[in-house]
Amino acid sequence: MKQEEKLHELQDLLVELKTVVVAYSGGVDSTFLLAVALKTLGQDNVLAVTANSETLPERELEEAKEFATSLGAHHQVIETSELAVEGFDDNLQNRCYLCRDNLFENLRPILEGEGFENIIFGLITDDMGEHRPGVVAAREHGVRGPLQEVKLYKDEIRALSQEMGLSTWNKPSYACLASRIAYEEKITIEKLEKVDKAEQCVQSFGVHQVRVRAHEQIARIEVETGDMEKVLNHNDEITRQLRELGFVYVTLDLAGYKSGSMNAALATESAK
């Protein structure tokens, strides 16, 4: 099915939902979903809600506010805390479930208080082949993922976003900062801030897409293949800055950037 046909299916699905609260991060997928919802349902039938927590960098929050304003959306920012959720900081395989469960619990009172009928979020088809316990939480709360339901993929969403004039069409993919820390390694505010600053360091040398994965004292840098030369050209400065942040060893992953790469360890464990 062509992406334009999927877009029409998405609009039909949103019409069926009538009024929606959009769990809005300001990323490529949720911005596209918000834009289509606004165009399809109208401003008064759509509410964007962004959860501000320890795992969301300040710059991402500010961008979410800017994008929502530019789209003319009604937008609320709520304060949440994943680290206050029992078991989240243990960083086990169910971490994303606990995060999403907490998010949807916080969105439910807004849904009911504002008189909206459905909560939707930016789940996409690419996500379904990965370890995504957050999807289980969504199903338990009756939260819908319209982009995935019409089988839209990331590259299609980027293309459609560009056609719609959305500035997020080529924004780097983003995930919460907790996803940078190896499973079973305790999550702390200090570690979240460390990986955030490490990624800003690498990006400052013109790198578009980056993850700095923290494995205790090791920083494993993931960038797209075309950006590896930039990292190598500035390896001395990047190493110096990341060591100042507290990493002892700084490495470049030759496999390149991959969303959810920490889950490879889970696959290895399950195969034993």
Side-chain angles (χ1 to χ4, degrees):
M1 185 186 301
K2 294 181 179 180
Q3 61 192 33
E4 287 78 12
E5 294 173 335
K6 293 181 183 181
L7 175 59
H8 291 314
E9 279 198 11
L10 174 61
Q11 292 170 320
D12 290 342
L13 190 158
L14 290 169
V15 168
E16 292 177 10
L17 296 179
K18 297 179 181 178
T19 60
V20 295
V21 171
V22 181
Y24 182 59
S25 68
V28 178
D29 307 321
S30 64
T31 299
F32 173 73
L33 179 59
L34 176 60
V36 176
L38 287 167
K39 183 177 180 180
T40 304
L41 301 176
Q43 185 184 56
D44 291 337
N45 294 315
V46 179
L47 174 63
V49 180
T50 302
N52 183 32
S53 72
E54 309 94 341
T55 63
L56 182 71
E58 180 67 25
R59 65 185 183 282
E60 290 291 327
L61 175 62
E62 293 306 313
E63 285 191 1
K65 291 178 181 177
E66 292 172 9
F67 294 147
T69 299
S70 69
L71 292 172
H74 296 304
H75 184 215
Q76 289 186 23
V77 177
I78 60 174
E79 299 297 323
T80 63
S81 174
E82 285 92 355
L83 290 179
V85 177
E86 184 177 358
F88 179 84
D89 64 346
D90 291 330
N91 199 15
L92 303 179
Q93 295 183 25
N94 67 339
R95 181 197 67 224
C96 289
Y97 172 85
L98 296 174
C99 174
R100 290 295 187 181
D101 182 61
N102 180 60
L103 171 63
F104 299 141
E105 282 284 357
N106 279 280
L107 291 181
R108 181 62 55 183
I110 297 173
L111 178 82
E112 296 169 353
E114 299 286 348
F116 286 80
E117 297 181 51
N118 293 280
I119 299 171
I120 60 177
F121 75 127
L123 181 70
I124 62 175
T125 306
D126 308 64
D127 297 333
M128 301 310 290
E130 301 178 2
H131 175 69
R132 295 279 177 168
V135 176
V136 177
R139 289 171 180 161
E140 291 177 354
H141 285 272
V143 174
R144 304 283 293 271
L147 303 178
Q148 184 273 323
E149 290 184 36
V150 301
K151 296 181 173 54
L152 274 166
Y153 288 86
K154 176 73 80 174
D155 58 348
E156 295 175 319
I157 291 167
R158 288 191 184 279
L160 289 168
S161 295
Q162 186 176 22
E163 289 178 13
M164 293 171 62
L166 300 177
S167 60
T168 51
W169 75 270
N170 66 343
K171 182 180 179 179
S173 296
Y174 181 77
C176 86
L177 290 172
S179 67
R180 316 301 203 264
I181 300 172
Y183 284 112
E184 300 186 10
E185 182 180 335
K186 204 78 169 178
I187 297 173
T188 66
I189 288 283
E190 292 74 23
K191 289 177 183 177
L192 295 172
E193 291 176 347
K194 182 164 74 170
V195 294
D196 182 28
K197 290 176 181 177
E199 291 186 351
Q200 290 184 62
C201 164
V202 177
Q203 286 178 321
S204 71
F205 293 102
V207 175
H208 180 69
Q209 181 74 65
V210 61
R211 293 285 187 272
V212 175
R213 311 288 190 184
H215 302 260
E216 297 291 353
Q217 297 178 319
I218 301 171
R220 176 169 59 86
I221 300 172
E222 295 180 9
V223 299
E224 293 173 333
T225 304
D227 277 337
M228 286 186 181
E229 186 175 358
K230 294 178 183 177
V231 175
L232 294 173
N233 286 342
H234 299 280
N235 68 303
D236 289 341
E237 182 61 18
I238 290 172
T239 299
R240 183 188 66 78
Q241 290 191 38
L242 267 60
R243 283 180 174 168
E244 287 180 355
L245 291 172
F247 290 107
V248 177
Y249 305 103
V250 179
T251 70
L252 176 63
D253 192 327
L254 297 183
Y257 163 74
K258 179 174 173 53
S259 174
S261 71
M262 284 296 197
N263 296 330
L266 301 181
T268 300
E269 285 297 317
S270 63
K272 290 181 179 178

